[in-house]
Amino acid sequence: MTVDLLVLSVSGDLDTCTAPLLQHNLSQALPAVTVLDLSRLEFLGVAGLQVLEAAATNAVAERRRIGLVTGSDSVRRIMRLFDLHLRVPVYPLLGDALRELT
Protein backbone atom coordinates (compact mmCIF):
# COMPACT_ATOMS: atom_id res chain seq x y z
CA MET A 1 0.00 0.00 0.00
CA THR A 2 1.35 3.44 -0.90
CA VAL A 3 0.52 6.56 1.02
CA ASP A 4 0.49 10.11 -0.26
CA LEU A 5 3.17 11.52 2.08
CA LEU A 6 5.17 14.70 2.60
CA VAL A 7 8.00 15.02 5.12
CA LEU A 8 9.17 18.59 5.78
CA SER A 9 12.33 19.03 7.85
CA VAL A 10 12.78 22.21 9.85
CA SER A 11 16.07 23.09 11.53
CA GLY A 12 17.50 26.00 13.48
CA ASP A 13 14.95 28.51 14.74
CA LEU A 14 11.25 28.63 13.91
CA ASP A 15 10.38 32.20 14.80
CA THR A 16 9.03 35.42 13.27
CA CYS A 17 11.81 35.44 10.66
CA THR A 18 11.46 31.84 9.49
CA ALA A 19 7.80 30.96 10.19
CA PRO A 20 6.51 32.64 7.00
CA LEU A 21 8.56 30.25 4.84
CA LEU A 22 7.09 27.22 6.61
CA GLN A 23 3.62 28.78 6.37
CA HIS A 24 4.12 29.23 2.63
CA ASN A 25 5.11 25.57 2.21
CA LEU A 26 2.14 24.42 4.26
CA SER A 27 -0.31 26.60 2.31
CA GLN A 28 0.26 24.53 -0.84
CA ALA A 29 -1.93 21.55 -1.74
CA LEU A 30 -0.78 18.93 0.74
CA PRO A 31 -0.93 15.13 0.56
CA ALA A 32 -2.96 12.83 2.80
CA VAL A 33 -0.16 12.67 5.38
CA THR A 34 2.26 15.41 6.37
CA VAL A 35 5.06 14.92 8.86
CA LEU A 36 6.96 17.93 10.13
CA ASP A 37 10.37 16.77 11.28
CA LEU A 38 11.41 19.26 13.95
CA SER A 39 14.14 17.02 15.34
CA ARG A 40 16.83 19.57 14.41
CA LEU A 41 14.85 22.56 15.65
CA GLU A 42 16.74 24.55 18.27
CA PHE A 43 14.11 27.20 19.09
CA LEU A 44 10.32 27.32 18.69
CA GLY A 45 8.89 30.81 19.00
CA VAL A 46 5.28 31.91 19.16
CA ALA A 47 5.15 32.64 15.41
CA GLY A 48 6.36 29.12 14.68
CA LEU A 49 3.89 27.67 17.14
CA GLN A 50 1.08 29.55 15.38
CA VAL A 51 2.11 28.06 12.03
CA LEU A 52 2.09 24.55 13.54
CA GLU A 53 -1.32 25.13 15.12
CA ALA A 54 -2.75 26.40 11.82
CA ALA A 55 -1.31 23.37 10.01
CA ALA A 56 -2.98 21.06 12.52
CA THR A 57 -6.31 22.89 12.20
CA ASN A 58 -6.17 22.80 8.40
CA ALA A 59 -5.28 19.11 8.38
CA VAL A 60 -8.37 18.29 10.45
CA ALA A 61 -10.60 20.48 8.28
CA GLU A 62 -9.24 18.84 5.11
CA ARG A 63 -9.38 15.31 6.58
CA ARG A 64 -5.63 14.85 6.32
CA ARG A 65 -3.22 13.49 8.90
CA ILE A 66 -0.33 15.45 10.36
CA GLY A 67 2.35 14.64 12.88
CA LEU A 68 5.28 16.40 14.48
CA VAL A 69 8.66 14.90 15.31
CA THR A 70 10.87 16.30 18.05
CA GLY A 71 13.27 14.94 20.61
CA SER A 72 13.92 18.37 22.13
CA ASP A 73 12.71 18.87 25.68
CA SER A 74 12.45 22.64 25.18
CA VAL A 75 10.36 22.30 22.00
CA ARG A 76 8.07 19.72 23.64
CA ARG A 77 7.72 22.03 26.68
CA ILE A 78 6.49 24.89 24.48
CA MET A 79 4.05 22.54 22.71
CA ARG A 80 2.70 21.40 26.08
CA LEU A 81 2.37 24.98 27.37
CA PHE A 82 0.10 25.79 24.43
CA ASP A 83 -1.60 22.34 24.36
CA LEU A 84 -0.44 21.70 20.79
CA HIS A 85 0.35 18.10 21.72
CA LEU A 86 -3.39 17.62 22.40
CA ARG A 87 -4.32 18.61 18.83
CA VAL A 88 -1.55 16.95 16.85
CA PRO A 89 0.47 13.83 17.63
CA VAL A 90 4.11 14.40 18.59
CA TYR A 91 6.65 11.62 18.07
CA PRO A 92 10.22 11.32 19.39
CA LEU A 93 11.58 9.84 16.13
CA LEU A 94 10.76 10.22 12.44
CA GLY A 95 10.43 6.44 12.06
CA ASP A 96 7.78 6.41 14.80
CA ALA A 97 5.76 9.08 13.02
CA LEU A 98 6.00 7.34 9.65
CA ARG A 99 5.01 3.99 11.13
CA GLU A 100 2.03 5.46 12.99
CA LEU A 101 0.70 7.83 10.34
CA THR A 102 1.10 5.73 7.18
Side-chain angles (χ1 to χ4, degrees):
M1 177 171 110
T2 61
V3 176
D4 196 16
L5 169 70
L6 172 66
V7 177
L8 283 175
S9 295
V10 181
S11 61
D13 296 342
L14 186 52
D15 56 17
T16 55
C17 293
T18 57
L21 178 59
L22 180 59
Q23 176 62 45
H24 174 75
N25 286 310
L26 293 172
S27 68
Q28 310 300 313
L30 296 174
V33 177
T34 300
V35 176
L36 298 173
D37 182 359
L38 309 175
S39 61
R40 295 184 303 156
L41 195 65
E42 295 173 16
F43 174 78
L44 176 59
V46 173
L49 187 66
Q50 290 171 334
V51 170
L52 298 177
E53 287 180 336
T57 299
N58 291 340
V60 169
E62 296 168 4
R63 298 179 189 250
R64 294 182 294 99
R65 299 182 80 188
I66 188 169
L68 307 175
V69 177
T70 184
S72 167
D73 290 335
S74 62
V75 171
R76 281 196 308 266
R77 188 176 315 115
I78 301 256
M79 290 178 182
R80 283 193 305 271
L81 282 172
F82 290 91
D83 291 335
L84 181 60
H85 69 292
L86 299 176
R87 294 186 294 282
V88 59
V90 179
Y91 302 93
L93 301 170
L94 180 58
D96 297 336
L98 295 175
R99 217 174 4 267
E100 184 72 27
L101 294 170
T102 55

